[in-house]
Amino acid sequence: RAHRRRRRRRVIARALVRDVSRKDYKRPRACSRRRRAPSRGERRVMRAMTNAMTMPLSTSRGVASASLRPQSRACAMRRATRARFASSRLRAASGESVGESEPFVFYKDPSRLAIAAAWLGLGSFAALGAPSGTAAFDMELVTSLISAPFSGSVNPLFEALFNSLGIVPATYACLLMPGAKDQKPLPAALCIGASFALGFFALGPYLITRAPRPAPVAKSSLGFVTRNVWESKLNAVALTAFAIWLGYYGVSNLSPENIAGFAALFKEQSMLACVSTCDLFVLSLAMSGAIKEDMQRRNVDPTNAVAFASLPVLGPVLWLLTRPALEE
């Protein structure tokens, strides 16, 4: 009986081998096996093979080759660290800054610390050193400046200085607004707009905390006002003409009487005259950094930035008049 069973099995096996060798053979449904789930070891092997097949080819020695050994997490971290170190060495060898991608920290920049010291010094002087109790006189002075401009009712030297405080914020807008996109933490438009009334008190915090943007900027990427007003040559011509007129008006009225009257306004009579004079002085001192950045943005040698900023009011607007336009 056992012999017959073994013989029957051999006959069935031979028939199956003969049928499998045929091209049109299909395994009967009754003989099909249900596919089982792969074990943990099989999954590990398949994952390693997938990683080896999708691994980028190594061409460091000129021959493309891929390792069939799967990378561990520690090995990948070591390779990434070596790649970052090699890229930093390449940037340093080519003269580029290694920390270009790092966020700007203003308190590590000496020039920003100097601007912060000037802002604190101006605020301290306005609170402690300027004449006090002159609010009524200052109100009359502003009323005379608005109602009867350049009529001689106000000291001509102070009138020229007071009107210059309208040119300087407009100049800062022309210099800073092309690089004002995504500036944090203070918005550029708000600080520059408030500087027309508050001067360096509103503009100082923005100059301290803003990130430098010396890279070239496409003109088409600017806002409507920046593209059509602050980048316009007509605006530069108007600012230059008004600055020249104010300089002529002040120099033509330069006399011992007017100088003595301005000194009295500064020391005793008007807090507005005292703080406005100091405000214009500090705004002019902080102008060189903005001019230098604008020169770099337009691919111009920034060595002449100090020369333009050394002439208050008139020098920066001359740069606006002669600077090249941004590329489209």
Side-chain angles (χ1 to χ4, degrees), residues 115-127 282:
I115 295 175
W119 185 75
L120 293 175
L122 180 63
S124 302
F125 179 78
V282 176

Side-chain angles (χ1 to χ4, degrees), residues 39-54 70:
S39 63
R40 182 179 301 178
E42 293 172 346
R43 287 197 299 267
R44 189 182 301 113
V45 172
M46 288 189 294
R47 193 182 307 115
M49 294 180 64
T50 304
N51 293 338
M53 293 174 64
T54 59

Side-chain angles (χ1 to χ4, degrees), residues 9 27 55 71 84 89 133 139 166 173 185 188 196:
R9 290 174 185 171
R27 184 185 291 271
M55 189 182 304
Q71 285 185 334
R84 285 196 299 267
R89 291 183 61 184
M139 186 61 65
F196 283 90

Side-chain angles (χ1 to χ4, degrees), residues 142-264:
V142 173
T143 304
S144 301
L145 288 170
I146 296 174
S147 61
F150 305 106
S151 61
S153 59
V154 183
N155 185 279
L157 300 181
F158 173 69
E159 191 168 10
L161 184 145
F162 185 80
N163 284 276
S164 298
L165 288 174
I167 298 177
V168 175
T171 305
Y172 268 107
C174 297
L175 296 174
L176 298 177
M177 287 305 295
K181 187 177 181 180
D182 299 331
Q183 286 285 359
K184 295 178 181 180
L186 299 176
L190 178 62
C191 296
I192 294 174
S195 66
F196 283 90
L198 301 176
F200 193 72
F201 294 99
L203 189 62
Y206 177 72
L207 293 178
I208 296 169
T209 58
R210 68 181 297 271
R213 300 286 174 81
V217 179
K219 190 175 181 179
S220 58
S221 64
L222 304 178
F224 177 81
V225 177
T226 304
R227 186 173 61 251
N228 296 288
V229 178
W230 305 129
E231 286 290 324
S232 174
K233 287 297 180 182
L234 294 177
N235 178 55
V237 169
L239 291 176
T240 305
F242 191 41
I244 293 174
W245 159 249
L246 291 178
Y248 169 76
Y249 181 76
V251 172
S252 61
N253 291 280
L254 195 62
S255 63
E257 294 80 10
N258 290 331
I259 294 175
F262 180 77

